[in-house]
Amino acid sequence: MKDDIKKITLLFSIIVFLAVVFWIFSLFVPKGLQSFLPSEVDGLMLHRVAGKDESMATTVRSHQGEIKDVDDMVIGYYDGGLSIWITKYSESKVVNKETLKMIEAMKKFGEGFEKLGSVNIKGVKIYITFPGGVKQYFWSQGKLMVYMIPGTLSESMSRELISDLINNLR
């Protein structure tokens, strides 16, 4: 009987130890970019995620400037035309440089992108551009740049989503 109790206690201790180790490990292992994409936004379901290779190919096709220094990238495609593009760089100073470079390219090449505005949400400067007269948003945060095409998402839901993304990316 005492041996059974010792075995159960030992087994329980091992399980608790492994759970604690897993929890601590999960705190220090960086999240994959896909984990930042919500599965649903105001009834719009995430239906496809493009990984780094596909995202990079899409970005190269849709941009006129050079795309470089990208560590990882993901695009989440949602119902209603919503898409969230998240790009990871090696350092925050690279992200800031690339964001400014994108702003200058938008102003130079136009096609609706040159009409830039900005708004501050949760202490983060969110840039707004208007290709085709429709708002699109982008910002840099830490080592990440986020670009959001809201599709059918309302203005208030777009800002709520941006706020949620800012919180989740911290």
Side-chain angles (χ1 to χ4, degrees):
M1 180 81 166
K2 285 185 178 182
D3 285 341
D4 289 339
I5 292 174
K6 285 182 182 179
K7 288 179 186 177
I8 291 171
T9 303
L10 178 62
L11 181 60
F12 180 73
S13 298
I14 291 171
I15 291 170
V16 169
F17 174 76
L18 290 174
V20 169
V21 168
F22 178 75
W23 176 73
I24 290 171
F25 182 71
S26 70
L27 293 175
F28 297 102
V29 174
K31 293 180 179 180
L33 294 181
Q34 183 172 344
S35 68
F36 294 120
L37 297 171
S39 59
E40 179 266 335
V41 177
D42 196 37
L44 304 176
M45 301 303 294
L46 175 64
H47 61 81
R48 193 168 78 75
V49 176
K52 182 179 180 181
D53 292 341
E54 183 182 353
S55 296
M56 282 296 295
T58 300
T59 301
V60 167
R61 280 192 308 272
S62 64
H63 285 73
Q64 294 185 1
E66 182 183 16
I67 310 297
K68 62 181 188 175
D69 300 321
V70 172
D71 284 355
D72 199 4
M73 186 175 195
V74 66
I75 304 173
Y77 295 98
Y78 295 78
D79 299 327
L82 168 64
S83 63
I84 301 171
W85 306 45
I86 303 174
T87 307
K88 181 180 179 189
Y89 295 88
S90 59
E91 299 178 41
S92 59
K93 67 181 177 182
V94 175
V95 175
N96 295 332
K97 181 182 97 179
E98 290 300 310
T99 302
L100 293 174
K101 200 166 89 175
M102 189 162 82
I103 290 167
E104 291 307 312
M106 286 177 168
K107 289 177 182 177
K108 180 179 178 182
F109 294 110
E111 298 180 23
F113 288 96
E114 74 279 8
K115 299 174 187 173
L116 286 167
S118 67
V119 64
N120 199 304
I121 299 177
K122 295 203 170 251
V124 177
K125 187 172 187 175
I126 310 300
Y127 295 94
I128 305 168
T129 186
F130 302 89
V134 179
K135 285 184 181 180
Q136 296 182 3
Y137 307 86
F138 65 98
W139 69 95
S140 59
Q141 185 176 343
K143 295 180 181 181
L144 304 175
M145 182 191 296
V146 180
Y147 195 98
M148 187 180 95
I149 301 171
T152 60
L153 209 58
S154 70
E155 174 72 17
S156 62
M157 281 307 303
S158 293
R159 289 181 182 232
E160 188 175 320
L161 173 57
I162 291 167
S163 179
D164 291 345
L165 287 168
I166 289 169
N167 286 338
N168 292 333
L169 296 172
R170 289 185 179 181

